[in-house]
């Protein structure tokens, strides 16, 4: 699906495409959908104002589960696993991940800029880092970051604020 403007995708299967499962610009809402086995990103949202992903699966995509460049990205009650690169790569002003599972991605969450929060979620078995933050802030609460190949949280700048509370970090470096 390639869309410019506002898009709402509900209870759909977007499978086995040669490129992105969804390429969106503007506002996009994805609910109850399976976006899997695509040749590039599951969702590629560039210059998006709002991207909302709820109760969806983004599995086995060749590149990122979600690549988001824009204002606001929220992921709720979703499974983003076994993607070839990152689970979520966000260049967004705001990224909120809630009640979601990110498993077996190269890096489960990459925050290149902006403010990110991970709440009541599981980030497990990344081959590299659980979360990588380049700039902005990261808040992790009520979550698990387990069995990362390198670091649970990799902060690559002195200008990053990180807060971790009520969370379990196991078998990995912080």
């Amino acid at each position: 699906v390639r869309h410019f403007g506002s898009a709402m995708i509900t209870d759909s299967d977007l499978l086995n495409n040669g490129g992105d499962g969804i390429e969106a610009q503007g506002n996009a809402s994805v609910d109850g959908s399976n976006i899997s086995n695509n040749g590039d990103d599951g969702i590629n949202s560039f210059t998006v104002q709002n991207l909302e992903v709820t109760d969806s699966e983004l599995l086995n995509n060749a590149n990122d589960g979600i690549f988001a460049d824009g204002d606001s990205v929220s992921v709720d009650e979703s499974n983003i696993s076994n993607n070839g690169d990152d689970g979520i790569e966000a260049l967004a002003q705001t990224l909120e991940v809630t009640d979601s599972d990110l498993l077996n991605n190269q890096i489960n969450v990459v925050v290149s800029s902006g403010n990110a929060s991970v709440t009541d979620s599981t980030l497990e078995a990344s081959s590299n880092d659980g979360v990588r933050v380049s700039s902005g802030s990261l808040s992790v609460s009520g979550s698990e970051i387990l069995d990362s190949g390198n670091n649970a949280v990799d902060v690559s700048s002195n200008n990053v604020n990180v807060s971790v509370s009520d969370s379990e970090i196991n078998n990995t470096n912080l």
Side-chain angles (χ1 to χ4, degrees), residues 5-167:
S6 293
M8 182 180 293
I9 298 166
T10 304
D11 300 324
S12 299
D13 292 324
L14 293 109
L15 311 171
N16 303 310
N17 294 293
D20 299 320
I22 298 172
E23 185 177 312
Q25 192 175 34
N27 293 308
S29 174
V30 178
D31 184 29
S33 295
N34 180 357
I35 304 165
S36 300
N37 300 309
N38 294 292
D40 201 357
D41 298 322
I43 299 174
N44 181 338
S45 59
F46 52 97
T47 63
V48 69
Q49 285 127 357
N50 273 318
L51 172 63
E52 296 178 359
V53 178
T54 305
D55 192 30
S56 294
E57 292 187 326
L58 292 98
L59 310 173
N60 302 309
N61 295 291
N63 199 16
D64 297 332
I66 297 173
F67 175 83
D69 182 1
D71 293 337
S72 174
V73 177
S74 66
V75 177
D76 188 39
E77 297 179 348
S78 294
N79 180 357
I80 303 172
S81 299
N82 301 313
N83 294 288
D85 198 13
D86 306 319
I88 300 171
E89 182 174 356
L91 288 77
Q93 293 298 315
T94 303
L95 168 65
E96 296 177 349
V97 178
T98 308
D99 295 319
S100 294
D101 294 323
L102 288 95
L103 312 171
N104 298 313
N105 299 293
Q106 199 170 73
I107 301 174
N108 283 318
V109 177
V110 175
V111 180
S112 296
S113 63
N115 301 310
S117 66
V118 177
T119 306
D120 299 326
S121 296
T122 299
L123 286 67
E124 186 171 0
S126 62
S127 60
N128 201 319
D129 299 319
V131 180
R132 181 176 292 165
V133 185
S134 299
S135 95
S137 68
L138 171 67
S139 171
V140 178
S141 176
S143 297
E144 299 174 313
I145 303 175
L146 309 171
D147 301 322
S148 299
N150 284 334
N151 302 298
V153 178
D154 179 16
V155 177
S156 58
S157 168
N158 290 332
N159 299 325
V160 176
N161 294 316
V162 176
S163 167
V164 178
S165 64
D166 300 319
S167 296

